[in-house]
Coordinates of all heavy atoms in Angstrom, one line a residue:
Chain M
K776 N 212.6 207.1 -47.9 CA 213.0 206.9 -46.5 C 212.1 207.5 -45.5 O 212.3 207.4 -44.3 CB 214.4 207.5 -46.3 CG 215.6 206.8 -47.0 CD 216.9 207.5 -46.7 CE 217.8 207.4 -47.9 NZ 218.9 208.4 -47.8
Y779 N 205.3 206.6 -43.6 CA 203.9 206.8 -44.2 C 203.3 208.0 -43.6 O 203.4 208.4 -42.5 CB 203.1 205.5 -43.8 CG 201.7 205.6 -44.2 CD1 201.3 205.6 -45.5 CD2 200.7 205.6 -43.2 CE1 199.9 205.7 -45.9 CE2 199.4 205.7 -43.5 CZ 199.0 205.7 -44.9 OH 197.7 205.8 -45.2
D784 N 208.4 208.3 -37.3 CA 209.6 207.5 -36.9 C 210.0 208.0 -35.5 O 210.2 209.2 -35.3 CB 210.7 207.7 -37.8 CG 210.5 207.0 -39.2 OD1 209.7 206.0 -39.2 OD2 211.0 207.5 -40.2
F785 N 210.1 207.1 -34.5 CA 210.6 207.4 -33.2 C 212.0 207.1 -33.1 O 212.3 205.9 -32.7 CB 209.7 206.8 -32.1 CG 208.3 207.3 -32.0 CD1 207.3 206.7 -32.8 CD2 208.1 208.3 -31.1 CE1 206.0 207.2 -32.6 CE2 206.8 208.8 -31.0 CZ 205.7 208.3 -31.8
K790 N 211.7 208.6 -28.9 CA 211.2 207.5 -28.2 C 211.4 207.7 -26.7 O 210.5 207.3 -25.9 CB 211.9 206.2 -28.6 CG 211.4 205.0 -28.0 CD 209.9 204.7 -28.2 CE 209.5 203.3 -27.9 NZ 210.0 202.7 -26.7
R791 N 212.5 208.4 -26.3 CA 212.6 208.7 -24.9 C 211.5 209.6 -24.4 O 211.1 209.5 -23.2 CB 214.0 209.2 -24.6 CG 215.1 208.2 -24.5 CD 216.4 208.7 -24.0 NE 217.1 209.5 -25.0 CZ 217.9 209.1 -26.0 NH1 218.2 207.8 -26.0 NH2 218.4 209.8 -26.9
E810 N 194.6 198.9 -13.3 CA 195.4 197.8 -13.9 C 195.5 197.9 -15.4 O 194.5 198.3 -16.0 CB 194.7 196.4 -13.5 CG 194.6 196.2 -12.0 CD 194.0 194.8 -11.8 OE1 194.5 193.8 -12.1 OE2 192.8 194.8 -11.3
S811 N 196.6 197.6 -15.9 CA 196.9 197.7 -17.3 C 196.3 196.6 -18.1 O 196.3 195.4 -17.7 CB 198.4 197.8 -17.5 OG 198.7 197.8 -18.9
D813 N 195.3 195.3 -22.5 CA 195.5 195.7 -24.0 C 194.6 194.7 -24.8 O 194.2 193.7 -24.3 CB 197.0 195.5 -24.4 CG 197.3 196.2 -25.7 OD1 196.5 196.9 -26.3 OD2 198.4 196.0 -26.2
N833 N 182.8 205.1 -42.1 CA 183.0 205.4 -43.6 C 184.1 206.3 -43.9 O 184.8 206.2 -44.9 CB 181.7 205.9 -44.2 CG 180.6 204.8 -44.2 OD1 181.0 203.6 -44.1 ND2 179.4 205.2 -44.2
I836 N 188.1 205.3 -40.7 CA 188.8 204.2 -40.2 C 189.6 203.5 -41.4 O 189.3 203.6 -42.5 CB 188.0 203.1 -39.5 CG1 187.0 202.4 -40.5 CG2 187.3 203.7 -38.3 CD1 186.3 201.2 -39.9
D841 N 189.8 190.9 -44.9 CA 191.0 190.0 -44.7 C 190.9 188.8 -45.7 O 189.9 188.7 -46.4 CB 191.2 189.7 -43.3 CG 190.4 188.5 -42.8 OD1 189.6 187.9 -43.6 OD2 190.5 188.1 -41.7
R842 N 191.9 188.0 -45.7 CA 192.0 186.8 -46.6 C 190.9 185.8 -46.3 O 190.7 184.9 -47.0 CB 193.4 186.2 -46.6 CG 194.4 187.1 -47.2 CD 195.8 186.8 -46.8 NE 196.7 188.0 -46.9 CZ 197.5 188.2 -47.9 NH1 197.6 187.3 -48.9 NH2 198.3 189.3 -48.0
R859 N 184.1 195.2 -25.3 CA 184.1 193.8 -25.6 C 184.8 192.9 -24.5 O 184.3 191.9 -24.1 CB 184.8 193.5 -27.0 CG 184.6 192.2 -27.6 CD 185.3 192.1 -29.0 NE 186.7 192.4 -29.0 CZ 187.6 191.8 -28.4 NH1 187.3 190.7 -27.6 NH2 188.9 192.2 -28.5
R873 N 189.0 199.0 -12.4 CA 189.8 200.1 -12.8 C 190.8 199.7 -13.7 O 191.7 198.9 -13.4 CB 190.4 200.7 -11.5 CG 189.5 201.4 -10.5 CD 190.3 201.8 -9.3 NE 189.6 202.7 -8.4 CZ 189.1 202.3 -7.2 NH1 189.2 201.0 -6.9 NH2 188.5 203.2 -6.5
S915 N 190.6 213.2 -10.9 CA 191.8 213.4 -10.1 C 193.0 212.6 -10.7 O 194.1 213.1 -10.7 CB 191.5 212.8 -8.7 OG 192.7 212.9 -7.9
E1081 N 174.4 192.9 -22.8 CA 174.7 192.7 -21.4 C 174.0 193.8 -20.6 O 173.7 194.9 -21.1 CB 176.2 192.8 -21.2 CG 177.0 191.7 -21.9 CD 177.0 190.4 -21.1 OE1 176.9 190.4 -19.9 OE2 177.1 189.3 -21.8
V1145 N 230.1 199.8 -24.3 CA 231.5 199.4 -24.5 C 232.0 199.7 -25.9 O 231.3 199.4 -26.9 CB 231.6 197.9 -24.2 CG1 233.0 197.4 -24.4 CG2 231.2 197.6 -22.7
Chain L
K1340 N 181.9 188.5 -28.6 CA 182.8 189.0 -27.6 C 184.2 188.5 -27.7 O 185.1 188.9 -27.0 CB 182.3 188.6 -26.2 CG 181.0 189.3 -25.8 CD 180.6 188.8 -24.4 CE 179.1 188.8 -24.2 NZ 178.7 188.0 -23.1
Y1343 N 189.5 189.0 -32.6 CA 189.7 188.6 -34.0 C 190.7 187.4 -33.9 O 191.6 187.3 -33.1 CB 190.3 189.8 -34.7 CG 190.8 189.5 -36.1 CD1 190.0 189.2 -37.1 CD2 192.2 189.5 -36.4 CE1 190.4 188.9 -38.4 CE2 192.7 189.3 -37.6 CZ 191.8 188.9 -38.6 OH 192.2 188.7 -39.9
D1348 N 193.2 189.1 -26.3 CA 192.8 190.1 -25.3 C 193.8 189.9 -24.2 O 193.9 188.8 -23.6 CB 191.4 189.8 -24.8 CG 190.3 190.2 -25.9 OD1 190.6 191.0 -26.7 OD2 189.2 189.6 -25.8
F1349 N 194.4 191.0 -23.8 CA 195.3 191.0 -22.6 C 194.5 191.6 -21.4 O 194.5 192.8 -21.2 CB 196.6 191.8 -22.9 CG 197.5 191.2 -23.9 CD1 197.4 191.4 -25.2 CD2 198.5 190.3 -23.4 CE1 198.2 190.8 -26.1 CE2 199.4 189.7 -24.3 CZ 199.2 190.0 -25.7
K1354 N 198.3 190.8 -19.2 CA 199.1 192.0 -19.5 C 200.3 192.2 -18.5 O 201.4 192.6 -18.9 CB 198.2 193.3 -19.4 CG 198.9 194.6 -19.7 CD 199.4 194.6 -21.1 CE 199.8 196.0 -21.6 NZ 200.5 196.9 -20.7
R1355 N 200.1 191.8 -17.3 CA 201.2 191.8 -16.3 C 202.3 190.9 -16.8 O 203.5 191.2 -16.6 CB 200.7 191.5 -14.9 CG 200.1 192.6 -14.2 CD 199.8 192.3 -12.7 NE 198.7 191.4 -12.5 CZ 197.5 191.8 -12.4 NH1 197.1 193.0 -12.5 NH2 196.5 190.9 -12.3
E1374 N 219.6 201.6 -27.3 CA 218.5 202.7 -27.2 C 217.3 202.3 -27.8 O 217.3 201.6 -28.9 CB 219.1 204.0 -27.9 CG 220.3 204.6 -27.2 CD 220.7 205.8 -27.9 OE1 220.0 206.9 -27.8 OE2 221.8 205.8 -28.6
S1375 N 216.1 202.6 -27.2 CA 214.8 202.2 -27.7 C 214.4 203.1 -28.9 O 214.6 204.3 -28.9 CB 213.8 202.3 -26.6 OG 212.5 201.9 -27.0
D1377 N 211.1 203.3 -32.2 CA 209.8 202.7 -32.7 C 209.6 203.3 -34.1 O 210.1 204.4 -34.4 CB 208.7 202.9 -31.8 CG 207.5 202.0 -32.0 OD1 207.6 201.1 -32.9 OD2 206.4 202.2 -31.4
N1397 N 202.8 188.2 -50.7 CA 201.6 187.7 -51.3 C 200.8 186.9 -50.3 O 199.6 186.8 -50.3 CB 201.8 186.9 -52.6 CG 202.3 187.8 -53.7 OD1 202.0 189.0 -53.6 ND2 203.1 187.3 -54.6
I1400 N 201.2 188.9 -45.6 CA 201.0 190.3 -44.9 C 199.6 190.8 -45.0 O 198.8 190.4 -45.9 CB 201.9 191.3 -45.5 CG1 201.6 191.6 -47.0 CG2 203.4 191.0 -45.3 CD1 202.4 192.9 -47.5
D1405 N 195.1 202.3 -49.3 CA 194.4 203.3 -48.4 C 193.6 204.2 -49.3 O 193.5 204.1 -50.5 CB 195.5 204.0 -47.5 CG 196.2 205.1 -48.3 OD1 195.9 205.3 -49.5 OD2 197.0 205.8 -47.6
R1406 N 192.9 205.2 -48.6 CA 192.0 206.1 -49.3 C 192.7 207.0 -50.2 O 192.1 207.7 -51.0 CB 191.2 206.8 -48.3 CG 190.2 205.9 -47.5 CD 189.8 206.5 -46.2 NE 189.3 205.5 -45.3 CZ 188.1 205.1 -45.1 NH1 187.1 205.8 -45.7 NH2 187.7 204.2 -44.2
R1423 N 214.9 201.5 -43.0 CA 214.5 202.8 -43.4 C 214.9 203.9 -42.5 O 215.4 205.0 -42.9 CB 212.9 202.9 -43.6 CG 212.4 204.0 -44.4 CD 210.9 204.0 -44.6 NE 210.1 203.8 -43.4 CZ 210.1 204.6 -42.4 NH1 210.7 205.8 -42.4 NH2 209.3 204.3 -41.3
R1437 N 223.4 201.1 -31.5 CA 222.8 200.0 -30.7 C 221.4 200.4 -30.5 O 221.1 201.3 -29.7 CB 223.5 199.7 -29.4 CG 224.9 199.2 -29.5 CD 225.6 199.2 -28.1 NE 226.8 198.4 -28.1 CZ 228.0 198.9 -28.0 NH1 228.1 200.2 -28.0 NH2 229.1 198.2 -27.9
E1645 N 222.1 203.2 -50.3 CA 223.0 203.7 -49.3 C 224.2 202.7 -49.2 O 224.1 201.5 -49.5 CB 222.4 203.8 -47.9 CG 221.2 204.8 -47.8 CD 221.7 206.3 -47.7 OE1 222.8 206.5 -47.2 OE2 221.0 207.2 -48.2
Q1698 N 194.7 210.7 -1.0 CA 195.5 211.6 -1.9 C 196.8 212.0 -1.3 O 197.8 212.1 -2.0 CB 194.7 212.9 -2.1 CG 193.4 212.7 -2.9 CD 193.7 212.3 -4.4 OE1 194.0 211.2 -4.7 NE2 193.5 213.3 -5.3
V1709 N 191.1 202.4 -3.4 CA 190.1 203.0 -2.4 C 188.7 202.5 -2.7 O 188.3 202.5 -3.8 CB 190.2 204.6 -2.5 CG1 189.1 205.2 -1.6 CG2 191.6 205.1 -2.1

Side-chain angles (χ1 to χ4, degrees):
Chain M
K776 292 182 208 164
Y779 171 69
D784 288 334
F785 289 88
K790 182 61 164 41
R791 280 189 286 272
E810 296 181 72
S811 178
D813 195 7
N833 292 336
I836 67 168
D841 83 359
R842 290 158 205 262
R859 192 175 54 63
R873 291 174 169 103
S915 176
E1081 294 281 331
V1145 174
Chain L
K1340 291 181 209 166
Y1343 172 67
D1348 287 335
F1349 290 87
K1354 182 60 165 41
R1355 280 189 286 272
E1374 296 182 71
S1375 179
D1377 196 8
N1397 291 336
I1400 66 168
D1405 82 358
R1406 291 158 204 262
R1423 192 175 55 63
R1437 292 173 167 105
E1645 294 282 333
Q1698 294 291 76
V1709 174

